[in-house]
Amino acid sequence: MLELVVQRRVQEAEDIISLDFTSALEESLPAFEPGAHTDLHLPNGLIRQYSLCRPGESPSSGRYTITVQCARESRGGSMYVHEQLTVGSRVHASEPRNLFELLPAARKHLLLAGGIGITPLICMRQALALRQQDFELHYFCRSRARAAFGDLRRSAPPAQSPHLRLDGGADILVAELLKRPDTDTHIYVCGPSGFMDCVLTTASEHGWPSANVHKEFFAADSSHLVADRLFEVQIASTGRRSEIPVGASVFEVLEQAGLDIPVSCEQGICGTCVTQLLDGIPDHRDQCLTDAEKATNKCLTPCCSRAHSKLLVLDL
Ligand code: FES
């Protein structure tokens, strides 16, 4: 666990701030690759994932920057960051982890950001510009007032500047951008679920290979909650079985039974809780396992995933 202190707080845009952290212990901070995030352990007990974005600096400069939008439907994380974290505030954070890696070998990178989904992509943009690789960054935003990183947009050379898309009609623009599938181009997308659906569906309809489409969600998909039903889990090492009722997660039931499963986001986004599965068919509801990993049925995220079979046997 890292101990960080806020060195700088900047109002990036309407409802969006950036915070620069350094080590509170004056140690060097672990380096990270574009797309990485850290789990911020907030003093109010919440743990939230924030992408590390450091436009204009190198990833090894000993400083972490996060950019946070105060969510209207905040569950307490972004609201706390906005209201309580000021210069001098201390927080704990995990070492960076990367579930959204940039593939350096691709000939071209197409970065598609919806709203605050810009945060991992602005870091990718910085790395690609430094490496002089071919890329385009399209930043879909509701208004200029809500568009972050204005300084960077104004100072970047035109060829590297994010294309700010303010004019609505994201579906039409996305369809235009993705109309010609190219196996040498990789797409990276991050944003709210409606935007993600638009990009992922359009890419699929136009025949983009799924291996060329990389995605990071920052909110859980709740579209399947109506299909919940009771099932059982069995702990392989003890044989003990527990019922998982509608409305409770595998993690919650097993925690009450005294099992210690590490969790962080509890929304299927971060991958902290991934657990090996020995038998049964999971109903994967996370956004962190790849389609290939899900297809093996060898692991699941007990914080949110459920079961298609009546029983899941966990390697615990
Ligand atoms: Fe984050 Fe389960 S705790 S995916």
Side-chain angles (χ1 to χ4, degrees):
M1 193 67 79
L2 306 169
E3 194 171 335
L4 305 178
V5 59
V6 178
Q7 291 291 349
R8 182 167 165 265
R9 173 179 165 130
V10 174
Q11 189 75 40
E12 283 283 353
E14 189 180 311
D15 289 339
I16 299 175
I17 58 168
S18 283
L19 296 173
D20 287 358
F21 295 95
T22 56
S23 165
L25 308 176
E26 299 185 4
E27 298 171 338
S28 58
L29 294 174
F32 63 91
E33 291 296 317
H37 71 267
T38 183
D39 297 347
L40 218 57
H41 293 243
L42 298 169
N44 65 356
L46 295 174
I47 304 172
R48 291 290 180 266
Q49 289 71 43
Y50 294 108
S51 295
L52 293 168
C53 48
R54 200 161 356 151
E57 294 181 42
S58 89
S60 58
S61 69
R63 192 144 46 122
Y64 290 164
T65 300
I66 62 169
T67 300
V68 181
Q69 176 170 293
C70 190
R72 294 185 202 289
E73 67 289 1
S74 172
R75 294 179 301 137
S78 66
M79 182 102 56
Y80 185 93
V81 169
H82 271 249
E83 292 181 352
Q84 303 295 331
L85 294 191
T86 56
V87 172
S89 298
R90 292 184 174 223
V91 289
H92 286 96
S94 69
E95 293 201 4
R97 286 189 302 146
N98 201 345
L99 303 171
F100 191 39
E101 289 178 14
L102 196 55
L103 291 185
R107 185 183 59 77
K108 181 170 180 179
H109 301 80
L110 191 54
L111 313 177
L112 303 179
I116 197 62
I118 185 70
T119 53
L121 300 179
I122 203 79
C123 194
M124 291 182 175
R125 176 219 158 272
Q126 175 197 353
L128 292 166
L130 283 171
R131 295 174 196 160
Q132 299 188 318
Q133 287 192 265
D134 191 8
F135 73 91
E136 285 176 31
L137 169 55
H138 297 266
Y139 180 13
F140 294 80
C141 231
R142 255 187 267 159
S143 69
R144 195 170 291 276
R146 297 178 70 85
F149 308 116
D151 289 353
L152 176 74
R153 284 185 279 113
R154 284 185 288 276
S155 63
Q160 297 176 352
S161 184
H163 301 280
L164 192 56
R165 308 296 197 176
L166 300 172
D167 33 5
D171 48 345
I172 298 169
L173 284 165
V174 167
E176 180 65 24
L177 289 168
L178 302 185
K179 67 184 178 192
R180 286 192 199 88
D182 174 7
T183 52
D184 291 330
T185 297
H186 281 247
I187 300 168
Y188 301 81
V189 55
C190 185
S193 57
F195 177 75
M196 301 287 287
D197 285 349
C198 169
V199 172
L200 299 176
T201 304
T202 306
S204 169
E205 286 174 354
H206 284 82
W208 285 82
S210 60
N212 287 45
V213 182
H214 311 272
K215 53 189 186 286
E216 181 160 83
F217 289 83
F218 54 75
D221 177 3
S222 59
S223 58
H224 34 43
L225 294 182
V226 289
D228 284 2
R229 61 180 178 75
L230 180 143
F231 61 100
E232 278 188 303
V233 294
Q234 181 174 336
I235 304 306
S237 61
T238 61
R240 177 174 174 172
R241 289 191 180 196
S242 302
E243 283 191 344
I244 313 297
V246 173
S249 70
V250 173
F251 159 69
E252 287 167 340
V253 171
L254 295 186
E255 186 187 40
Q256 281 182 6
L259 269 101
D260 186 19
I261 298 176
V263 292
S264 178
C265 70
E266 296 187 53
Q267 294 190 83
I269 299 168
C270 69
T272 304
C273 68
V274 172
T275 301
Q276 299 306 304
L277 185 66
L278 298 178
D279 200 8
I281 302 175
D283 177 3
H284 293 290
R285 296 187 176 185
D286 62 273
Q287 318 288 356
C288 56
L289 296 175
T290 64
D291 290 345
E293 286 171 328
K294 288 177 181 172
T296 66
N297 288 337
K298 293 271 172 55
C299 57
L300 88 165
T301 50
C303 70
C304 63
S305 293
R306 299 187 67 83
H308 288 305
S309 54
K310 288 183 177 160
L311 176 69
L312 297 177
V313 182
L314 304 182
D315 190 10
L316 290 171

